[in-house]
Amino acid sequence: MPATQTGGAARTVIVTVDDDPAVSRAVARDLRRRYGESHRIVRADSGESALEALRDLRLRGDSVAVILADYRMPEMNGIEFLEQAMDVYPGARRVLLTAYADTGAAIDAINVVDLDHYLLKPWDPPEEKLYPVVDDLLAAWRTEDHRPVKETKVVGHRWSARSSGVREFLARNQVPYRWYSSDEPEGQALLTAAETDGTSLPVVITPDGRALVEPTDPDLAASVGLATTPSARFYDLIVIGGGPAGLGAAVYGASEGLRTVLVERTATGGQAGQSSRIENYLGFPDGVSGGQLTDRAHRQATRFGAEILTACEVTGLEISGSSRTVLLGDGTSVAAHTVILATGVSYRQLDAAGVDELTGRGVFYGSALTEAAGCKDQDVYVVGGANSAGQAAVYLARGARSVTLLVRGESLTASMSHYLIQQIEETPQIRVRTRTEVAAAHGTRQLEGITLRDTKSGETETVDAQFLFVFIGAAPRTDWLDGVVQRDDLGFVVAGPDLAVAGERPAGWPLDRAPYHLETNVPGVFVAGDARAESAKRVASAVGEGAMAVMLVHRYLERL
């Protein structure tokens, strides 16, 4: 049943959702009695219908101040609903309606969805139990800036690699946008208005009405208000990379008074930011999506004063006395006393015929979240045997007809966490094929099929496929450090005790002390997270190393 609405369109909205019709009407009645003249009340009887209503409100530019959700709803409980509602209206205040027996779940929800309050049912009399809570939440909501955000419009083709890249860039940078297919009337009308014939796609129409044809990431970032150039020429600390390690370093550096700038080539979050669900991160017993964790860390870093630059490619590092200068792809540079390398890793490319030509047109590297909607009722293939592949398979199985996990090894136990293996075993839509690799990808305009090869027998099989997600291996993004910072044979940065040879300081080390634990062979240049040789490759350890690197930065600066 669709959500029902009362009141005029210009008023701020309060949303309530409960699957019990009597309770739903009672909540809406009490809210309307107190707030009906100044707010519009939207009532829904399921999480799905409420999400649909929220998306419609967002598209119209309406403001939602408070969302009240019942905990015990079938198919999608109140916590699950609020978690998805956060992605639509992150600034709305969130209330969970619970029975006394559910208070434990409500307390857990404080971590999962930043719950603002939970109300025990019944809430009679509302003058004592409901209205004071809503009054406080509305007052808190009004203190923040909730001016409507004008949307960016993207016109492209579903099987265009660059169209896919633009959508992923905007989504990962939390930029509201609306997608229009160039094959449909609305998309054609926008192309006509933009005075382009659509031969070059995508076309991005900015909130101020400018049309950008096949924009680069830096052009796109600048057009939607993301910072792309540093505001100063010299800082205390430059953090390179915006994954968990880099965000952790930015939070701790800025919060401790260091003039901090973070430089990121695409979007903050790194590989973790693309994870549909991280369930083994401390403090989140019900898990947290990579996007939500990234968004919180990003906001936390900027609140402390860290400057975050997006779509900035780092091309080199120069050392001049106590200054460390980072060279950027646009020919500019930025300098600081210290640098933390938190560049993370990227997925290795799949070495199979036809894959390169079909990348972005059915073959995707680590973009399951962006493309998941298009996988509904499809047969999907995921390549990889580690946690990222497992998380993607579980997430895609929510809508796909089937998900086949392709693993080169004998089993998942060597590379995947136990909790994920259990989830995969309990999900009937997921099938695991071990000792299997992709030998080729087929298709003209888009992916149409893949050839699978048994790594033991060599036998091959060709299957129909429109979606192939690849999560294989990890290659560090460190080529630009060649000749300056010491790396191992695989490109990972060597630091601390690992630099010593037979207990001696590294060759060329200029100081009378040994390198600190995360310090590279260049004094004042540190490494944290997945880019470090022998790192743990886990979100928690990356965040911890980012914080530890800042502690060592302080120690270094004290001795300058």
Side-chain angles (χ1 to χ4, degrees), residues 317 341 478 481-487 493-494 520-522 525:
L317 176 64
L341 305 171
T478 59
L481 293 169
D482 191 33
V484 181
V485 173
Q486 184 174 329
R487 300 175 295 149
V493 176
V494 182
T520 69
N521 63 302
V522 179
V525 177

Side-chain angles (χ1 to χ4, degrees), residues 415-449:
S415 54
M416 189 177 293
S417 296
H418 179 66
Y419 80 89
L420 265 177
I421 296 175
Q422 286 184 312
Q423 287 187 17
I424 288 171
E425 291 174 347
E426 294 168 359
T427 306
Q429 293 95 328
I430 300 178
R431 176 192 178 196
V432 179
R433 289 186 57 162
T434 57
R435 302 196 311 268
T436 304
E437 64 183 3
V438 176
H442 312 286
T444 51
R445 192 180 186 188
Q446 66 197 61
L447 180 68
E448 297 170 359

Side-chain angles (χ1 to χ4, degrees), residues 5 18 53-54 118 201 217 235 253 266 318 335 384 387 417 458 483:
Q5 306 180 12
D18 195 306
L54 286 172
Y118 66 90
L201 294 173
D217 283 356
Y235 295 81
T266 304
E318 294 181 349
N387 280 8
S417 296

Side-chain angles (χ1 to χ4, degrees), residues 283-305:
F284 293 88
D286 294 307
V288 61
S289 76
Q292 290 170 354
L293 187 63
T294 297
D295 178 57
R296 295 177 190 182
H298 187 121
R299 287 188 283 117
Q300 194 173 15
T302 55
R303 183 170 66 85
F304 283 124

Side-chain angles (χ1 to χ4, degrees), residues 251-267:
V251 167
Y252 281 93
S255 68
E256 294 171 12
L258 298 177
R259 292 169 298 167
T260 302
V261 60
L262 184 151
V263 182
E264 167 56 43
R265 64 193 295 268
T266 304

Side-chain angles (χ1 to χ4, degrees), residues 67 125 166 302 339 366 385 447 527 542:
I67 303 173
V166 165
T302 55
V339 172
L447 180 68
V527 62

Side-chain angles (χ1 to χ4, degrees), residues 488-555:
D488 66 12
D489 293 341
L490 297 175
F492 292 94
V493 176
V494 182
D498 294 334
L499 287 166
V501 178
E504 298 294 329
R505 294 172 189 163
W509 181 255
L511 304 181
D512 58 0
R513 61 167 177 82
Y516 295 135
H517 180 64
L518 298 176
E519 197 168 21
T520 69
N521 63 302
V522 179
V525 177
F526 301 83
V527 62
D530 290 358
R532 183 177 66 83
E534 306 299 329
S535 64
K537 307 295 189 292
R538 289 291 184 267
V539 175
S541 62
V543 173
E545 287 190 7
M548 182 186 296
V550 171
M551 179 191 74
L552 299 174
V553 163
H554 281 293
R555 191 178 299 177

Side-chain angles (χ1 to χ4, degrees), residues 187-536:
Q188 288 289 334
L190 287 171
L191 292 175
T192 300
E195 298 181 345
T196 176
D197 59 7
T199 54
S200 298
L201 294 173
V203 173
V204 177
I205 301 172
T206 65
D208 59 5
R210 290 182 297 123
L212 308 176
V213 180
E214 295 184 296
T216 63
D217 283 356
D219 290 340
L220 195 57
S223 72
V224 297
L226 299 174
T228 58
T229 57
S231 63
R233 295 184 60 85
F234 198 88
Y235 295 81
D236 294 318
L237 170 63
I238 300 173
V239 180
I240 303 176
L247 286 168
V251 167
Y252 281 93
S255 68
E256 294 171 12
L258 298 177
R259 292 169 298 167
T260 302
V261 60
L262 184 151
V263 182
E264 167 56 43
R265 64 193 295 268
T266 304
T268 52
Q271 286 191 10
Q274 300 179 64
S275 296
S276 57
R277 174 73 59 178
I278 303 169
E279 299 199 44
N280 58 353
Y281 188 65
L282 184 67
F284 293 88
D286 294 307
V288 61
S289 76
Q292 290 170 354
L293 187 63
T294 297
D295 178 57
R296 295 177 190 182
H298 187 121
R299 287 188 283 117
Q300 194 173 15
T302 55
R303 183 170 66 85
F304 283 124
E307 191 175 329
I308 297 181
L309 308 182
T310 305
C312 288
E313 186 79 31
V314 175
T315 59
L317 176 64
E318 294 181 349
I319 310 302
S320 178
S322 63
S323 174
R324 282 84 184 95
T325 301
V326 174
L327 309 180
L328 303 178
D330 62 359
T332 63
S333 63
V334 59
H337 289 301
T338 60
V339 172
I340 294 177
L341 305 171
T343 51
V345 295
S346 59
Y347 294 113
R348 295 187 186 279
Q349 301 297 293
L350 186 62
D351 185 16
V355 167
D356 289 347
E357 293 82 359
L358 293 169
T359 297
R361 295 188 289 144
V363 178
F364 303 98
Y365 288 88
S367 59
L369 289 177
T370 309
E371 300 295 333
C375 298
K376 184 174 177 59
D377 299 326
Q378 299 288 328
D379 296 315
V380 178
Y381 290 81
V382 177
V383 182
N387 280 8
S388 295
Q391 290 164 350
V394 171
Y395 181 76
L396 291 166
R398 297 178 182 179
R401 179 168 52 205
S402 71
V403 177
T404 303
L405 193 58
L406 306 175
V407 185
R408 285 179 55 89
E410 296 287 335
S411 71
L412 294 172
T413 55
S415 54
M416 189 177 293
S417 296
H418 179 66
Y419 80 89
L420 265 177
I421 296 175
Q422 286 184 312
Q423 287 187 17
I424 288 171
E425 291 174 347
E426 294 168 359
T427 306
Q429 293 95 328
I430 300 178
R431 176 192 178 196
V432 179
R433 289 186 57 162
T434 57
R435 302 196 311 268
T436 304
E437 64 183 3
V438 176
H442 312 286
T444 51
R445 192 180 186 188
Q446 66 197 61
L447 180 68
E448 297 170 359
I450 54 177
T451 297
L452 305 178
R453 178 166 52 219
D454 187 302
T455 59
K456 193 170 185 179
S457 68
E459 295 180 358
T460 61
E461 173 192 3
T462 300
V463 297
D464 293 335
Q466 279 194 307
F467 292 92
L468 178 69
F469 295 92
V470 183
F471 300 84
I472 55 171
R477 300 186 180 122
T478 59
D479 291 347
W480 57 276
L481 293 169
D482 191 33
V484 181
V485 173
Q486 184 174 329
R487 300 175 295 149
D488 66 12
D489 293 341
L490 297 175
F492 292 94
V493 176
V494 182
D498 294 334
L499 287 166
V501 178
E504 298 294 329
R505 294 172 189 163
W509 181 255
L511 304 181
D512 58 0
R513 61 167 177 82
Y516 295 135
H517 180 64
L518 298 176
E519 197 168 21
T520 69
N521 63 302
V522 179
V525 177
F526 301 83
V527 62
D530 290 358
R532 183 177 66 83
E534 306 299 329
S535 64

